[in-house]
Amino acid sequence: MTKGEPRPSRLAPLVRNLDPRTLFFGPIFQKDMRISGRKLGVYIGRSLFALLLAAVVSIAFYSVWQSTGFNQSPSARIQSLQNLAPVIVVSVLWVQFVAMALLAPVLTGGAICEERRAQTLPTLLTTPLSPVQIVCSKGASRLAQLIIIALIALPVLLGVRLFGGVRAETILAGSSISLTTAIMGASIGLWFSARAARGTTATLAAYCMLALLMAGLPMLASAINLIAESEFPGARLPDLLGPWAPDWPLRIPTDVLYASSPPLALGAVSYGSAVGMPIRSIWVGASLWSLLISLGALTFASVSLRAVMRRSLGAPKLTRRQRRQHKKAARAGDASPVDPGQLRARRSRTVADRPVLWREIRQSLFPSKAMLVAAVLGVVLIMGIMYLAVDIDELALAMIPIIIGTILILLQAALLSSGGFASEREARTLDALLTTRISPFQLVASKMLGSIRRQWFIPLILLIHMGVIVAYRETHPIVLLHLSIIFLGPIVMLSGTGVYFALRFRKSITASSVNLALALLLWLVWPICMGVFFGALDIGGYEFGEAMANFTLFTHPVWLSAVSVEGARGHFSDGFDLSNLDYDTPSSNLGVVAWTILVFASTGVQIFIGLLAALAALLRFEKHTGRAA
Amino acid sequence: MIEITHLTKRFGDLTAVDDLSISIEAGEIFGFIGPNGAGKSTTMKVLACLLKPDSGSAKVDDLSVRAQGDAIRQRIGYMPDFIGYYDDLTVDEYLQFFAAAFRLPRKKRRSIVSGVLELTDLTAKRDTMVSSLSRGMSQRLGVARVLIHDPKVLLLDEPASGLDPRARIEMRSLLTELARMGKTLMVSSHILSELAEMCSSIGIIEQGRLIFAGSIDDAYARVKGAERILIRLEPADNIAQIVASVVSALDADERVESATPVDGKAGVIDVELKDAEPGRHFLLERVIAGGGRIASFEPQSVNLEDAFLRLTKGAIQ
């Protein structure tokens, strides 16, 4: 630069990078949209979703019209519709919320991992595109699919308003919470995708983070409120803080507590307005909070993207011991420098006779021991807060972790099982395996067993948690047997279907999404439909409705877990007596023997379905490869 | 050892391999040459029992790929063009993994792995993570993997792809050594000079059809008539003019197929004679008539690249 020449502005490139057209809708966005636009399945999926919503509303409308009869006055019919409309709107909003919150991390979890695996990320990083633009464009292209689904639901929801009884703000608030939660999930998925080696790992980590944000923050806020209002002298927060206690009240307001968690905020929007809660501040606050977290996650993803690439392409990261070895070799004046490959060496193990199974059962859920330790410490911290804040005999102490944990088990089973085959295909190792003498049965069975084995962490944490409560004699130990059996059912079933979908679909992300959609359909959409059809609409009469409710709940792991925990509660200071246990079901109360049979039967059905799916996978694999098992 | 008869493989509307017939004798190194997308990898995948042929037959060691896949797998070692690796295993574990996959006895595995590592010069890398190997070492590991069950036939799809010159030379000597050990090798490659040095026979394939199969000498013989001569002129101030004049004089001769200035300023002309033209004297006369003074006159020997370029049209599918 010559003297007198104006200095180039440092702000200009920053402004250029933050231009929304290039930040979100740049070449990566256009490429991804073009690719998804070519897929027929995308259009079929969207059409099916729209048809499903329209069918639910139409059936509801028709049933009310029929059930009110021709003799009833128009005002009575309108009254019935007005009663039904909020139920439909709230159901659709919840389905939409859960579907979007769960699908967003799946869609973005593999976004950057896939680029790295296909070795296209270094090429992207050599273009003028900044890491922020890469991350945001990836997120925008994946989120566009979810936004289209949300937009499909909007006319249906607004159409239901014609029945009356539904406020426009409820629809707006629900849609806003769903959309911003999806943005948050997608951003967190991208953050982990920039760091993790595999899409499924990134997705699972994103789920854990979402669970922490959705449940951990309200729990923390509740704990603060409990301590702030403690009745014990000297245990109140201002007393504990002493001279550092602020002047303003330490209690966290209810609307802030609700806004800190999207499901709580949606709960307030769904039902809170009826009891006079200030829903506007809650849904606006929840939406802004989600967007703020999204911004943070996207920033972290952008910052870590280049650093991670530099690490993976450059010299290996050495441990302290390896660095010492390296220095020692250099001091000794060794002409040949220590080979980084050798520094990465480790003692080779002996491979067993079933090599695929041997490798599968050695695949860890956590990429490193440090991650495992961090996860354990995180769990211990959260549980510690809970044990401090809630009495050991409170039902909530047992119930909340079990419900959240069972949901996480379902998500984990849906995601992890589809990774095995897909990762072989993505790593291009499947061809080499198929030229060996490994039979298709051995391959499919090993993949399924490996995925089941990798899912030990969350069930173990939950069983330890219940074990602590059992140790305090506040719950019967039979709950440990019931929970173990209940957890096994969906794990085996979704592992079987996951292996099938992994063979059916080319990409692991598609297989994971379809497996997750199956879990959602079975354990979210189906129960809600049952609730609407047989509860609100009373189709088929009371007995038929009760039978359907029983069938739905008896195969629902979350419900089974909750009832098992509740039924096993009691004070067992004089010994563990089984005769007092009572399990509450929609039709009747069951004793421990009947409940145990029910739990085993439910798990048996799920295991059977899982094995059937694995058999279908085996047949497909044989047909595809032309090899007999 | 390998007998392919009227093999056809289609993917939808695309015919990847069209009525292909090849015969490879035991102990041969067969070079499989063709442009990208010609059908080389598809043919190899059919032989490796990874794809079923639509029509025709393919046999390895008299075993049909349609019905005797298990027996064939025991006899072949297939190395795809892109080798996937388990990045969570060491070199030793990776080879043990495939030894177990081929159901080799557990007691013998360690010694077999050691032998294969020694043969491929990877003993020093035994405990190194597969993910940290260089490209050359990875290719060697790929070869080590296909040797683990001591197959009779090796199907190697682009084994030298992406290697530096030293690694290519090492790979070539490794493959030659394997042929010396009695293995039959089918090797596809784009580096034709290397195939020329190690292959005993070649097959040239284009758009799924076999254009040529036979020994390298046969391939040269097929294009031998088209001899090329490089004429270098003495420097002069108006060398560009002289070159243009000589080129037009040569072009006018009906015995000359083409005359192309390689570098006008340096005075180099590449002349290609018509098939089976025995005479050379007329070239000198034409150059002198065109005003040029000859510095050197070098008949060019035909190589595999010339043969390939002449036999194929460069069409891809």
Side-chain angles (χ1 to χ4, degrees):
Chain A
M1 192 172 67
T2 55
K3 201 175 176 184
E5 198 177 316
R7 288 172 69 87
S9 166
R10 287 186 184 179
L11 207 62
L14 187 71
V15 171
R16 211 168 32 244
N17 277 344
L18 294 178
D19 180 350
R21 284 170 302 177
T22 52
L23 189 62
F24 294 106
F25 310 112
I28 296 175
F29 174 84
Q30 288 167 23
K31 184 260 299 177
D32 283 355
M33 291 305 285
R34 216 169 285 141
I35 289 171
S36 65
R38 284 191 207 124
K39 292 177 184 163
L40 185 65
V42 172
Y43 299 103
I44 293 173
R46 285 175 197 162
S47 308
L48 283 177
F49 183 70
L51 281 174
L52 182 76
L53 288 180
V56 168
V57 175
S58 307
I59 291 169
F61 180 79
Y62 179 74
S63 303
V64 169
W65 202 253
Q66 286 278 310
S67 61
T68 48
F70 292 100
N71 299 332
Q72 283 208 337
S73 64
S75 61
R77 286 184 177 176
I78 289 167
Q79 185 65 43
S80 301
L81 285 173
Q82 279 183 347
N83 292 338
L84 180 69
V87 178
I88 293 176
V89 166
V90 167
S91 302
V92 172
L93 281 178
W94 273 100
V95 170
Q96 183 180 283
F97 169 76
V98 175
M100 289 178 80
L102 292 180
L103 282 176
V106 178
L107 289 175
T108 55
I112 295 171
C113 303
E114 279 171 17
E115 294 273 358
R116 202 163 39 217
R117 201 168 265 257
Q119 299 183 358
T120 48
L121 195 57
T123 318
L124 278 182
L125 287 169
T126 57
T127 65
L129 290 170
S130 67
V132 187
Q133 285 171 331
I134 294 171
V135 167
C136 290
S137 299
K138 279 273 164 200
S141 65
R142 308 284 166 124
L143 264 174
Q145 309 298 335
L146 286 177
I147 291 170
I148 290 168
I149 288 176
L151 290 177
I152 289 170
L154 209 56
V156 178
L157 290 168
L158 290 171
V160 176
R161 279 198 74 216
L162 292 174
F163 298 170
V166 181
R167 289 170 61 198
E169 191 182 3
T170 307
I171 296 171
L172 182 68
S175 300
S176 170
I177 291 170
S178 296
L179 201 60
T180 50
T181 306
I183 293 172
M184 178 169 72
S187 308
I188 293 172
L190 278 171
W191 177 23
F192 285 109
S193 187
R195 304 189 68 86
R198 291 196 176 144
T200 44
T201 316
T203 308
L204 208 56
Y207 280 144
C208 290
M209 179 64 98
L210 273 180
L212 197 69
L213 288 169
M214 288 181 179
L217 282 178
M219 274 163 63
L220 189 68
S222 304
I224 290 170
N225 283 355
L226 275 170
I227 298 169
E229 294 165 356
S230 174
E231 289 169 5
F232 297 106
R236 293 172 63 221
L237 202 55
D239 300 337
L240 292 171
L241 292 175
W244 294 286
D247 296 335
W248 36 271
L250 279 166
R251 196 180 185 288
I252 293 169
T254 313
D255 50 349
V256 173
L257 194 146
Y258 274 83
S260 69
S261 170
L264 283 185
L266 189 60
V269 167
S270 307
Y271 310 107
S273 53
V275 291
M277 281 180 84
I279 67 162
R280 188 159 302 168
S281 62
I282 291 175
W283 73 261
V284 172
S287 304
L288 289 175
W289 176 235
S290 298
L291 288 178
L292 193 68
I293 293 172
S294 308
L295 190 67
L298 287 176
T299 309
F300 279 128
S302 309
V303 169
S304 56
L305 184 64
R306 206 176 274 277
V308 169
M309 275 313 299
R310 209 179 289 133
R311 252 203 323 271
S312 66
L313 291 174
K317 196 180 174 185
L318 307 180
T319 63
R320 196 176 291 171
R321 189 170 142 263
Q322 287 170 335
R323 273 202 299 272
R324 268 206 307 274
Q325 284 178 340
H326 192 71
K327 279 180 187 169
K328 200 176 165 186
R331 269 202 303 272
D334 195 349
S336 58
V338 178
D339 181 2
Q342 284 299 314
L343 285 173
R344 271 187 177 180
R346 70 160 189 227
R347 208 171 152 204
S348 298
R349 300 157 292 184
T350 303
V351 178
D353 287 339
R354 300 197 182 286
V356 181
L357 182 63
W358 175 86
R359 183 172 166 268
E360 284 296 323
I361 60 175
R362 273 159 187 78
Q363 299 257 311
S364 173
L365 175 64
F366 297 95
S368 65
K369 279 185 184 162
M371 289 279 281
L372 173 64
V373 171
V376 170
L377 286 178
V379 170
V380 167
L381 185 71
I382 292 168
M383 301 307 269
I385 292 172
M386 277 193 69
Y387 290 138
L388 278 176
V390 187
D391 288 338
I392 197 82
D393 59 349
E394 286 272 343
L395 177 64
L397 182 70
M399 196 63 93
I400 292 172
I402 289 295
I403 289 175
I404 295 172
T406 311
I407 293 169
L408 282 176
I409 286 173
L410 300 181
L411 296 176
Q412 180 180 252
L415 288 173
L416 281 186
S417 51
S418 44
F421 261 110
S423 66
E424 291 275 0
R425 207 161 29 214
E426 283 164 359
R428 317 262 296 253
T429 46
L430 196 57
D431 273 1
L433 271 186
L434 289 176
T435 56
T436 68
R437 294 178 71 195
I438 294 175
S439 68
F441 174 77
Q442 206 186 111
L443 212 49
V444 170
S446 301
K447 291 286 170 195
M448 194 170 158
L449 287 174
S451 91
I452 291 171
R453 185 248 165 226
R454 274 197 293 280
Q455 298 173 41
W456 60 273
F457 184 71
I458 303 172
L460 185 70
I461 293 288
L462 296 180
L463 291 175
I464 290 173
H465 167 61
M466 286 312 296
V468 171
I469 298 171
V470 168
Y472 275 93
R473 295 181 168 266
E474 296 296 336
T475 294
H476 196 283
I478 190 85
V479 75
L480 299 176
L481 172 72
H482 287 158
L483 288 178
S484 307
I485 300 300
I486 291 165
F487 295 156
L488 190 64
I491 287 175
V492 175
M493 182 176 140
L494 290 175
S495 295
T497 52
V499 169
Y500 175 76
F501 290 134
L503 283 169
R504 178 73 185 74
F505 299 103
R506 184 172 282 276
K507 286 194 168 182
S508 60
I509 191 168
T510 316
S512 300
S513 305
V514 173
N515 210 24
L516 187 64
L518 175 73
L520 285 178
L521 198 70
L522 283 177
W523 294 313
L524 180 74
V525 177
W526 175 251
I528 289 177
C529 288
M530 290 296 102
V532 171
F533 292 152
F534 303 112
L537 298 175
D538 198 21
I539 292 172
Y542 176 76
E543 284 180 3
F544 183 65
E546 191 185 42
M548 290 307 290
N550 278 334
F551 173 74
T552 306
L553 293 176
F554 291 163
T555 52
H556 202 298
V558 180
W559 182 81
L560 286 171
S561 303
V563 174
S564 292
V565 169
E566 195 181 12
R569 280 187 75 233
H571 299 290
F572 300 95
S573 47
D574 301 331
F576 293 112
D577 183 10
L578 281 168
S579 60
N580 291 334
L581 301 185
D582 186 34
Y583 296 89
D584 192 13
T585 71
S587 49
S588 61
N589 285 10
L590 299 177
V592 67
V593 176
W595 181 253
T596 307
I597 292 170
L598 184 72
V599 164
F600 270 92
S602 173
T603 298
V605 169
Q606 291 176 48
I607 289 176
F608 179 69
I609 295 170
L611 293 177
L612 272 184
L615 182 68
L618 184 63
L619 293 174
R620 184 177 176 82
F621 191 67
E622 283 173 20
K623 190 181 164 196
H624 188 65
T625 59
R627 293 177 64 175
Chain B
M1 183 58 78
I2 296 175
E3 195 70 47
I4 299 173
T5 317
H6 301 299
L7 179 76
T8 300
K9 178 68 196 171
R10 292 185 195 90
F11 297 106
D13 294 336
L14 178 83
T15 305
V17 178
D18 190 3
D19 198 30
L20 185 83
S21 297
I22 298 173
S23 177
I24 303 170
E25 296 299 320
E28 264 196 87
I29 303 184
F30 181 83
F32 206 26
I33 309 168
N36 292 325
K40 304 185 295 291
S41 297
T42 305
T43 308
M44 286 194 168
K45 282 185 177 177
V46 169
L47 288 171
C49 304
L50 290 170
L51 291 174
K52 278 189 211 163
D54 290 322
S55 65
S57 74
K59 287 182 177 178
V60 178
D61 202 15
D62 271 339
L63 299 165
S64 166
V65 294
R66 281 181 192 275
Q68 293 159 297
D70 279 342
I72 288 183
R73 274 179 212 109
Q74 196 58 31
R75 285 165 173 77
I76 58 146
Y78 169 63
M79 180 173 154
D81 53 346
F82 186 93
I83 313 161
Y85 294 106
Y86 297 117
D87 50 11
D88 53 342
L89 300 182
T90 64
V91 167
D92 184 275
E93 287 167 354
Y94 181 77
L95 293 175
Q96 274 193 68
F97 179 94
F98 281 97
F102 279 106
R103 299 182 197 162
L104 300 183
R106 201 171 190 169
K107 285 178 186 170
K108 288 185 182 173
R109 271 181 224 157
R110 195 149 291 274
S111 63
I112 290 170
V113 167
S114 298
V116 168
L117 284 172
E118 200 173 325
L119 182 66
T120 51
D121 204 14
L122 281 173
T123 308
K125 299 282 178 186
R126 182 170 207 141
D127 291 323
T128 303
M129 298 301 290
V130 170
S131 56
S132 63
L133 291 179
S134 66
R135 173 86 189 189
M137 290 293 171
S138 300
Q139 293 291 93
R140 279 175 170 276
L141 182 60
V143 177
R145 201 256 304 157
V146 297
L147 290 173
I148 203 84
H149 59 297
D150 193 21
K152 287 181 179 175
V153 177
L154 297 178
L155 306 170
L156 310 175
D157 199 355
E158 303 281 353
S161 141
L163 299 186
D164 63 43
R166 181 179 291 277
R168 280 214 304 267
I169 291 165
E170 286 170 0
M171 178 64 76
R172 195 170 64 211
S173 55
L174 174 63
L175 299 186
T176 314
E177 177 63 25
L178 291 173
R180 214 173 288 142
M181 288 162 68
K183 311 241 178 255
T184 305
L185 276 79
M186 185 176 189
V187 186
S188 81
S189 178
H190 288 299
I191 305 157
L192 304 182
S193 54
E194 287 189 1
L195 288 183
E197 284 187 38
M198 66 178 177
C199 292
S200 46
S201 60
I202 59 164
I204 300 178
I205 182 173
E206 188 173 41
Q207 287 190 302
R209 293 191 197 95
L210 189 73
I211 291 171
F212 172 83
S215 69
I216 290 185
D217 289 341
D218 288 344
Y220 291 163
R222 186 78 76 88
V223 293
K224 145 178 124 171
E227 190 179 351
R228 279 173 54 226
I229 294 165
L230 214 60
I231 300 172
R232 200 177 296 273
L233 302 179
E234 282 188 1
D237 291 342
N238 57 344
I239 189 70
Q241 266 184 318
I242 295 171
V243 167
S245 162
V246 170
V247 165
S248 70
L250 288 168
D251 269 339
D253 197 302
E254 59 183 16
R255 290 162 289 188
V256 172
E257 177 73 38
S258 69
T260 319
V262 176
D263 186 347
K265 284 181 185 167
V268 182
I269 302 165
D270 185 358
V271 183
E272 195 176 323
L273 299 180
K274 284 204 170 150
D275 288 357
E277 178 53 54
R280 302 282 180 274
H281 63 281
F282 69 92
L283 283 177
L284 305 177
E285 289 162 11
R286 290 285 173 185
V287 171
I288 291 162
R293 296 170 70 182
I294 296 169
S296 69
F297 190 86
E298 304 161 23
Q300 300 292 297
S301 57
V302 179
N303 58 29
L304 194 55
E305 276 176 24
D306 295 321
F308 176 73
L309 290 173
R310 282 195 161 269
L311 291 168
T312 60
K313 294 169 193 153
I316 53 168
Q317 52 180 357

